[in-house]
Amino acid sequence: MSIYDEIEERWCAIYADMHRDPLPRDGFNELLLEAETLARAATTTAFQPHLAIFEFGLEFLSYVHIALSSADEPGPSNEHTRAAWALTGAAVSFGVSIRSLVISGLDTPARALLRTYVETLFLCIAVLHDRALGEAYVAADSDPRIKDFWHSTASPKRLHERIIAIEKKIGLDKDLVDMMTTWRREEYEILSQSSHLSYLAAVLTALSHKLDDEKVVAPALFGVASAHSPRTIFYAAATTWYFSRLSNPVLLGKREGECAIVLDKENEWHQRMVAARDTLSNVMLKHWAA
């Protein structure tokens, strides 16, 4: 029996039981709350340390966004940082959404958002290294221009090519570049199946292997602590760490024109950025294989 047949057989049996004793309509909200409560009770502890690392990465990104913001009014500090300011802000919001979905037991929706989160951070790395690209991104202010920008300039394939070029530019050796490229592409394929649902991804959204016993599957359409989620949260944390490393040479520096933010040692947000960046790097590498 194939995995498809096994999952479908169990799913039909579970649904048959559910249909024999349907819940009253007025209990639906309680059902949703119960599913979320049960999932969070299991996931908030089981997903450590990578959940905490991801949360710390989001804190780092929020510091970057604030440092790129104007001190006088809402918006970026200057025209040159407009793209990076918008992308880091969006990344924080998507990241918080991913966190909420994963710990609530909604793994496939979290992966769909994770694909956007990854693309957002990769594009932000690219615009920090290429000011003209950032200007083109900001200039895409209509539906036709936005479509053209993403298809011709920032498609997934082109973004991956830009990341590879940046890795080589900052001096990573060929073996490391090849290894990171393979890793990113493997993860991206999984994320793509969650955005453009394959049959298996759709089934595993409604029926998931349980976190505490991978041999057991359970209805997951309202949320369940999933055995697939540790990989989701790890990739979210690792991508945030990778952004911090690849953006570092052009994000915060000493010379205007060579970086997005000129370091001010007395600036509290700059201090927090540096401390968070270094701490994120240390804990991510320490717990990479945890």
Side-chain angles (χ1 to χ4, degrees), residues 65-96:
H65 179 70
I66 293 171
L68 290 168
S69 300
S70 170
D72 301 320
E73 57 185 359
S77 57
N78 60 68
E79 290 298 316
H80 300 310
T81 62
R82 186 174 293 275
W85 167 83
L87 289 165
T88 52
V92 172
S93 184
F94 270 91
V96 171

PDB file of all heavy atoms in Angstrom, residues 65-96:
ATOM      1  N   HIS A  65      15.024  47.130  10.954  1.00  0.00           N
ATOM      2  CA  HIS A  65      13.967  47.972  10.383  1.00  0.00           C
ATOM      3  C   HIS A  65      13.916  49.329  11.072  1.00  0.00           C
ATOM      4  O   HIS A  65      13.801  50.372  10.407  1.00  0.00           O
ATOM      5  CB  HIS A  65      12.619  47.259  10.515  1.00  0.00           C
ATOM      6  CG  HIS A  65      11.475  48.041   9.973  1.00  0.00           C
ATOM      7  ND1 HIS A  65      11.288  48.266   8.626  1.00  0.00           N
ATOM      8  CD2 HIS A  65      10.456  48.693  10.605  1.00  0.00           C
ATOM      9  CE1 HIS A  65      10.201  48.996   8.441  1.00  0.00           C
ATOM     10  NE2 HIS A  65       9.693  49.278   9.621  1.00  0.00           N
ATOM     11  N   ILE A  66      14.006  49.341  12.389  1.00  0.00           N
ATOM     12  CA  ILE A  66      13.981  50.609  13.132  1.00  0.00           C
ATOM     13  C   ILE A  66      15.195  51.465  12.776  1.00  0.00           C
ATOM     14  O   ILE A  66      15.089  52.691  12.603  1.00  0.00           O
ATOM     15  CB  ILE A  66      13.919  50.341  14.643  1.00  0.00           C
ATOM     16  CG1 ILE A  66      12.576  49.712  15.006  1.00  0.00           C
ATOM     17  CG2 ILE A  66      14.136  51.627  15.433  1.00  0.00           C
ATOM     18  CD1 ILE A  66      12.490  49.201  16.422  1.00  0.00           C
ATOM     19  N   ALA A  67      16.364  50.824  12.660  1.00  0.00           N
ATOM     20  CA  ALA A  67      17.579  51.573  12.326  1.00  0.00           C
ATOM     21  C   ALA A  67      17.505  52.170  10.922  1.00  0.00           C
ATOM     22  O   ALA A  67      18.142  53.188  10.641  1.00  0.00           O
ATOM     23  CB  ALA A  67      18.797  50.664  12.433  1.00  0.00           C
ATOM     24  N   LEU A  68      16.732  51.535  10.046  1.00  0.00           N
ATOM     25  CA  LEU A  68      16.553  52.042   8.677  1.00  0.00           C
ATOM     26  C   LEU A  68      15.433  53.077   8.591  1.00  0.00           C
ATOM     27  O   LEU A  68      15.222  53.677   7.533  1.00  0.00           O
ATOM     28  CB  LEU A  68      16.230  50.889   7.723  1.00  0.00           C
ATOM     29  CG  LEU A  68      17.373  49.910   7.420  1.00  0.00           C
ATOM     30  CD1 LEU A  68      16.830  48.673   6.720  1.00  0.00           C
ATOM     31  CD2 LEU A  68      18.450  50.574   6.562  1.00  0.00           C
ATOM     32  N   SER A  69      14.728  53.312   9.694  1.00  0.00           N
ATOM     33  CA  SER A  69      13.571  54.201   9.696  1.00  0.00           C
ATOM     34  C   SER A  69      13.965  55.631  10.022  1.00  0.00           C
ATOM     35  O   SER A  69      14.991  55.891  10.669  1.00  0.00           O
ATOM     36  CB  SER A  69      12.529  53.721  10.717  1.00  0.00           C
ATOM     37  OG  SER A  69      12.077  52.422  10.418  1.00  0.00           O
ATOM     38  N   SER A  70      13.120  56.531   9.594  1.00  0.00           N
ATOM     39  CA  SER A  70      13.309  57.941   9.925  1.00  0.00           C
ATOM     40  C   SER A  70      13.007  58.179  11.388  1.00  0.00           C
ATOM     41  O   SER A  70      12.069  57.597  11.949  1.00  0.00           O
ATOM     42  CB  SER A  70      12.388  58.803   9.058  1.00  0.00           C
ATOM     43  OG  SER A  70      12.375  60.144   9.508  1.00  0.00           O
ATOM     44  N   ALA A  71      13.773  59.027  12.016  1.00  0.00           N
ATOM     45  CA  ALA A  71      13.541  59.364  13.423  1.00  0.00           C
ATOM     46  C   ALA A  71      12.442  60.416  13.573  1.00  0.00           C
ATOM     47  O   ALA A  71      11.923  60.629  14.668  1.00  0.00           O
ATOM     48  CB  ALA A  71      14.824  59.884  14.057  1.00  0.00           C
ATOM     49  N   ASP A  72      12.066  61.064  12.453  1.00  0.00           N
ATOM     50  CA  ASP A  72      11.141  62.184  12.518  1.00  0.00           C
ATOM     51  C   ASP A  72       9.714  61.843  12.112  1.00  0.00           C
ATOM     52  O   ASP A  72       8.766  62.463  12.586  1.00  0.00           O
ATOM     53  CB  ASP A  72      11.649  63.325  11.627  1.00  0.00           C
ATOM     54  CG  ASP A  72      13.036  63.793  12.044  1.00  0.00           C
ATOM     55  OD1 ASP A  72      13.276  63.869  13.269  1.00  0.00           O
ATOM     56  OD2 ASP A  72      13.862  64.065  11.150  1.00  0.00           O
ATOM     57  N   GLU A  73       9.548  60.839  11.234  1.00  0.00           N
ATOM     58  CA  GLU A  73       8.223  60.505  10.741  1.00  0.00           C
ATOM     59  C   GLU A  73       8.205  59.054  10.266  1.00  0.00           C
ATOM     60  O   GLU A  73       9.263  58.467  10.025  1.00  0.00           O
ATOM     61  CB  GLU A  73       7.846  61.430   9.574  1.00  0.00           C
ATOM     62  CG  GLU A  73       8.825  61.389   8.421  1.00  0.00           C
ATOM     63  CD  GLU A  73       8.487  62.404   7.344  1.00  0.00           C
ATOM     64  OE1 GLU A  73       7.485  63.118   7.502  1.00  0.00           O
ATOM     65  OE2 GLU A  73       9.220  62.460   6.358  1.00  0.00           O
ATOM     66  N   PRO A  74       7.021  58.462  10.116  1.00  0.00           N
ATOM     67  CA  PRO A  74       6.955  57.081   9.635  1.00  0.00           C
ATOM     68  C   PRO A  74       7.556  56.963   8.233  1.00  0.00           C
ATOM     69  O   PRO A  74       7.289  57.781   7.359  1.00  0.00           O
ATOM     70  CB  PRO A  74       5.445  56.787   9.610  1.00  0.00           C
ATOM     71  CG  PRO A  74       4.850  57.758  10.578  1.00  0.00           C
ATOM     72  CD  PRO A  74       5.688  58.995  10.465  1.00  0.00           C
ATOM     73  N   GLY A  75       8.390  55.954   8.024  1.00  0.00           N
ATOM     74  CA  GLY A  75       9.005  55.756   6.722  1.00  0.00           C
ATOM     75  C   GLY A  75      10.505  55.569   6.836  1.00  0.00           C
ATOM     76  O   GLY A  75      11.076  55.589   7.943  1.00  0.00           O
ATOM     77  N   PRO A  76      11.171  55.397   5.699  1.00  0.00           N
ATOM     78  CA  PRO A  76      12.619  55.150   5.698  1.00  0.00           C
ATOM     79  C   PRO A  76      13.419  56.396   6.016  1.00  0.00           C
ATOM     80  O   PRO A  76      12.934  57.525   5.877  1.00  0.00           O
ATOM     81  CB  PRO A  76      12.877  54.688   4.261  1.00  0.00           C
ATOM     82  CG  PRO A  76      11.812  55.377   3.460  1.00  0.00           C
ATOM     83  CD  PRO A  76      10.596  55.398   4.338  1.00  0.00           C
ATOM     84  N   SER A  77      14.659  56.184   6.438  1.00  0.00           N
ATOM     85  CA  SER A  77      15.512  57.307   6.800  1.00  0.00           C
ATOM     86  C   SER A  77      15.949  58.113   5.585  1.00  0.00           C
ATOM     87  O   SER A  77      16.196  59.317   5.690  1.00  0.00           O
ATOM     88  CB  SER A  77      16.750  56.804   7.553  1.00  0.00           C
ATOM     89  OG  SER A  77      17.457  55.856   6.757  1.00  0.00           O
ATOM     90  N   ASN A  78      16.057  57.464   4.415  1.00  0.00           N
ATOM     91  CA  ASN A  78      16.405  58.176   3.180  1.00  0.00           C
ATOM     92  C   ASN A  78      15.989  57.353   1.970  1.00  0.00           C
ATOM     93  O   ASN A  78      15.575  56.194   2.109  1.00  0.00           O
ATOM     94  CB  ASN A  78      17.912  58.502   3.137  1.00  0.00           C
ATOM     95  CG  ASN A  78      18.765  57.248   3.196  1.00  0.00           C
ATOM     96  OD1 ASN A  78      18.786  56.449   2.259  1.00  0.00           O
ATOM     97  ND2 ASN A  78      19.485  57.057   4.303  1.00  0.00           N
ATOM     98  N   GLU A  79      16.117  57.947   0.803  1.00  0.00           N
ATOM     99  CA  GLU A  79      15.687  57.284  -0.429  1.00  0.00           C
ATOM    100  C   GLU A  79      16.473  56.021  -0.717  1.00  0.00           C
ATOM    101  O   GLU A  79      15.949  55.052  -1.264  1.00  0.00           O
ATOM    102  CB  GLU A  79      15.803  58.254  -1.614  1.00  0.00           C
ATOM    103  CG  GLU A  79      14.795  59.386  -1.584  1.00  0.00           C
ATOM    104  CD  GLU A  79      13.362  58.865  -1.665  1.00  0.00           C
ATOM    105  OE1 GLU A  79      13.090  57.971  -2.485  1.00  0.00           O
ATOM    106  OE2 GLU A  79      12.515  59.357  -0.889  1.00  0.00           O
ATOM    107  N   HIS A  80      17.739  55.984  -0.350  1.00  0.00           N
ATOM    108  CA  HIS A  80      18.580  54.832  -0.679  1.00  0.00           C
ATOM    109  C   HIS A  80      18.225  53.584   0.131  1.00  0.00           C
ATOM    110  O   HIS A  80      18.545  52.471  -0.287  1.00  0.00           O
ATOM    111  CB  HIS A  80      20.052  55.187  -0.455  1.00  0.00           C
ATOM    112  CG  HIS A  80      20.529  56.334  -1.295  1.00  0.00           C
ATOM    113  ND1 HIS A  80      20.313  56.381  -2.659  1.00  0.00           N
ATOM    114  CD2 HIS A  80      21.198  57.467  -0.971  1.00  0.00           C
ATOM    115  CE1 HIS A  80      20.838  57.509  -3.135  1.00  0.00           C
ATOM    116  NE2 HIS A  80      21.374  58.182  -2.128  1.00  0.00           N
ATOM    117  N   THR A  81      17.593  53.790   1.281  1.00  0.00           N
ATOM    118  CA  THR A  81      17.251  52.644   2.130  1.00  0.00           C
ATOM    119  C   THR A  81      15.776  52.260   2.051  1.00  0.00           C
ATOM    120  O   THR A  81      15.322  51.401   2.808  1.00  0.00           O
ATOM    121  CB  THR A  81      17.602  52.946   3.597  1.00  0.00           C
ATOM    122  OG1 THR A  81      16.826  54.077   4.051  1.00  0.00           O
ATOM    123  CG2 THR A  81      19.094  53.254   3.748  1.00  0.00           C
ATOM    124  N   ARG A  82      15.050  52.893   1.139  1.00  0.00           N
ATOM    125  CA  ARG A  82      13.603  52.677   1.079  1.00  0.00           C
ATOM    126  C   ARG A  82      13.257  51.203   0.874  1.00  0.00           C
ATOM    127  O   ARG A  82      12.390  50.645   1.556  1.00  0.00           O
ATOM    128  CB  ARG A  82      12.999  53.534  -0.043  1.00  0.00           C
ATOM    129  CG  ARG A  82      11.479  53.482  -0.100  1.00  0.00           C
ATOM    130  CD  ARG A  82      10.944  54.457  -1.137  1.00  0.00           C
ATOM    131  NE  ARG A  82      11.208  55.837  -0.727  1.00  0.00           N
ATOM    132  CZ  ARG A  82      10.417  56.538   0.081  1.00  0.00           C
ATOM    133  NH1 ARG A  82       9.334  55.975   0.587  1.00  0.00           N
ATOM    134  NH2 ARG A  82      10.711  57.777   0.393  1.00  0.00           N
ATOM    135  N   ALA A  83      13.925  50.538  -0.070  1.00  0.00           N
ATOM    136  CA  ALA A  83      13.605  49.135  -0.369  1.00  0.00           C
ATOM    137  C   ALA A  83      13.907  48.239   0.825  1.00  0.00           C
ATOM    138  O   ALA A  83      13.072  47.418   1.230  1.00  0.00           O
ATOM    139  CB  ALA A  83      14.377  48.674  -1.605  1.00  0.00           C
ATOM    140  N   ALA A  84      15.091  48.381   1.392  1.00  0.00           N
ATOM    141  CA  ALA A  84      15.475  47.540   2.528  1.00  0.00           C
ATOM    142  C   ALA A  84      14.583  47.807   3.738  1.00  0.00           C
ATOM    143  O   ALA A  84      14.228  46.879   4.482  1.00  0.00           O
ATOM    144  CB  ALA A  84      16.937  47.781   2.886  1.00  0.00           C
ATOM    145  N   TRP A  85      14.206  49.057   3.959  1.00  0.00           N
ATOM    146  CA  TRP A  85      13.307  49.411   5.049  1.00  0.00           C
ATOM    147  C   TRP A  85      11.972  48.681   4.899  1.00  0.00           C
ATOM    148  O   TRP A  85      11.467  48.062   5.857  1.00  0.00           O
ATOM    149  CB  TRP A  85      13.091  50.927   5.065  1.00  0.00           C
ATOM    150  CG  TRP A  85      11.960  51.374   5.938  1.00  0.00           C
ATOM    151  CD1 TRP A  85      11.994  51.573   7.289  1.00  0.00           C
ATOM    152  CD2 TRP A  85      10.618  51.661   5.519  1.00  0.00           C
ATOM    153  NE1 TRP A  85      10.749  51.967   7.746  1.00  0.00           N
ATOM    154  CE2 TRP A  85       9.890  52.032   6.680  1.00  0.00           C
ATOM    155  CE3 TRP A  85       9.971  51.639   4.282  1.00  0.00           C
ATOM    156  CZ2 TRP A  85       8.544  52.372   6.626  1.00  0.00           C
ATOM    157  CZ3 TRP A  85       8.623  51.977   4.230  1.00  0.00           C
ATOM    158  CH2 TRP A  85       7.934  52.353   5.395  1.00  0.00           C
ATOM    159  N   ALA A  86      11.399  48.712   3.699  1.00  0.00           N
ATOM    160  CA  ALA A  86      10.105  48.060   3.460  1.00  0.00           C
ATOM    161  C   ALA A  86      10.212  46.543   3.591  1.00  0.00           C
ATOM    162  O   ALA A  86       9.354  45.891   4.201  1.00  0.00           O
ATOM    163  CB  ALA A  86       9.588  48.443   2.073  1.00  0.00           C
ATOM    164  N   LEU A  87      11.268  45.974   3.043  1.00  0.00           N
ATOM    165  CA  LEU A  87      11.417  44.516   3.032  1.00  0.00           C
ATOM    166  C   LEU A  87      11.668  43.958   4.427  1.00  0.00           C
ATOM    167  O   LEU A  87      11.126  42.906   4.792  1.00  0.00           O
ATOM    168  CB  LEU A  87      12.535  44.109   2.085  1.00  0.00           C
ATOM    169  CG  LEU A  87      12.212  44.287   0.593  1.00  0.00           C
ATOM    170  CD1 LEU A  87      13.478  44.209  -0.257  1.00  0.00           C
ATOM    171  CD2 LEU A  87      11.196  43.243   0.134  1.00  0.00           C
ATOM    172  N   THR A  88      12.470  44.652   5.237  1.00  0.00           N
ATOM    173  CA  THR A  88      12.701  44.163   6.598  1.00  0.00           C
ATOM    174  C   THR A  88      11.427  44.266   7.435  1.00  0.00           C
ATOM    175  O   THR A  88      11.134  43.367   8.237  1.00  0.00           O
ATOM    176  CB  THR A  88      13.839  44.920   7.296  1.00  0.00           C
ATOM    177  OG1 THR A  88      13.600  46.340   7.202  1.00  0.00           O
ATOM    178  CG2 THR A  88      15.183  44.593   6.656  1.00  0.00           C
ATOM    179  N   GLY A  89      10.681  45.330   7.243  1.00  0.00           N
ATOM    180  CA  GLY A  89       9.416  45.462   7.969  1.00  0.00           C
ATOM    181  C   GLY A  89       8.436  44.363   7.595  1.00  0.00           C
ATOM    182  O   GLY A  89       7.786  43.758   8.464  1.00  0.00           O
ATOM    183  N   ALA A  90       8.334  44.094   6.294  1.00  0.00           N
ATOM    184  CA  ALA A  90       7.446  43.024   5.829  1.00  0.00           C
ATOM    185  C   ALA A  90       7.913  41.671   6.360  1.00  0.00           C
ATOM    186  O   ALA A  90       7.098  40.827   6.754  1.00  0.00           O
ATOM    187  CB  ALA A  90       7.398  43.012   4.308  1.00  0.00           C
ATOM    188  N   ALA A  91       9.229  41.452   6.371  1.00  0.00           N
ATOM    189  CA  ALA A  91       9.770  40.176   6.835  1.00  0.00           C
ATOM    190  C   ALA A  91       9.401  39.927   8.298  1.00  0.00           C
ATOM    191  O   ALA A  91       9.047  38.801   8.677  1.00  0.00           O
ATOM    192  CB  ALA A  91      11.284  40.152   6.666  1.00  0.00           C
ATOM    193  N   VAL A  92       9.476  40.958   9.130  1.00  0.00           N
ATOM    194  CA  VAL A  92       9.106  40.794  10.540  1.00  0.00           C
ATOM    195  C   VAL A  92       7.646  40.362  10.659  1.00  0.00           C
ATOM    196  O   VAL A  92       7.310  39.425  11.402  1.00  0.00           O
ATOM    197  CB  VAL A  92       9.346  42.091  11.334  1.00  0.00           C
ATOM    198  CG1 VAL A  92       8.784  41.955  12.745  1.00  0.00           C
ATOM    199  CG2 VAL A  92      10.835  42.417  11.393  1.00  0.00           C
ATOM    200  N   SER A  93       6.774  41.017   9.914  1.00  0.00           N
ATOM    201  CA  SER A  93       5.351  40.692   9.985  1.00  0.00           C
ATOM    202  C   SER A  93       5.070  39.269   9.509  1.00  0.00           C
ATOM    203  O   SER A  93       4.325  38.507  10.146  1.00  0.00           O
ATOM    204  CB  SER A  93       4.550  41.695   9.148  1.00  0.00           C
ATOM    205  OG  SER A  93       3.163  41.456   9.277  1.00  0.00           O
ATOM    206  N   PHE A  94       5.690  38.878   8.384  1.00  0.00           N
ATOM    207  CA  PHE A  94       5.520  37.510   7.892  1.00  0.00           C
ATOM    208  C   PHE A  94       6.105  36.509   8.888  1.00  0.00           C
ATOM    209  O   PHE A  94       5.536  35.436   9.114  1.00  0.00           O
ATOM    210  CB  PHE A  94       6.182  37.348   6.526  1.00  0.00           C
ATOM    211  CG  PHE A  94       5.268  37.651   5.381  1.00  0.00           C
ATOM    212  CD1 PHE A  94       5.195  38.934   4.853  1.00  0.00           C
ATOM    213  CD2 PHE A  94       4.476  36.670   4.817  1.00  0.00           C
ATOM    214  CE1 PHE A  94       4.344  39.229   3.807  1.00  0.00           C
ATOM    215  CE2 PHE A  94       3.619  36.947   3.765  1.00  0.00           C
ATOM    216  CZ  PHE A  94       3.552  38.233   3.242  1.00  0.00           C
ATOM    217  N   GLY A  95       7.238  36.858   9.478  1.00  0.00           N
ATOM    218  CA  GLY A  95       7.869  35.959  10.437  1.00  0.00           C
ATOM    219  C   GLY A  95       7.005  35.728  11.660  1.00  0.00           C
ATOM    220  O   GLY A  95       6.875  34.590  12.142  1.00  0.00           O
ATOM    221  N   VAL A  96       6.400  36.793  12.181  1.00  0.00           N
ATOM    222  CA  VAL A  96       5.504  36.652  13.329  1.00  0.00           C
ATOM    223  C   VAL A  96       4.302  35.771  12.956  1.00  0.00           C
ATOM    224  O   VAL A  96       3.848  34.944  13.749  1.00  0.00           O
ATOM    225  CB  VAL A  96       5.037  38.036  13.820  1.00  0.00           C
ATOM    226  CG1 VAL A  96       3.940  37.895  14.875  1.00  0.00           C
ATOM    227  CG2 VAL A  96       6.216  38.813  14.396  1.00  0.00           C
TER     228      VAL A  96
END
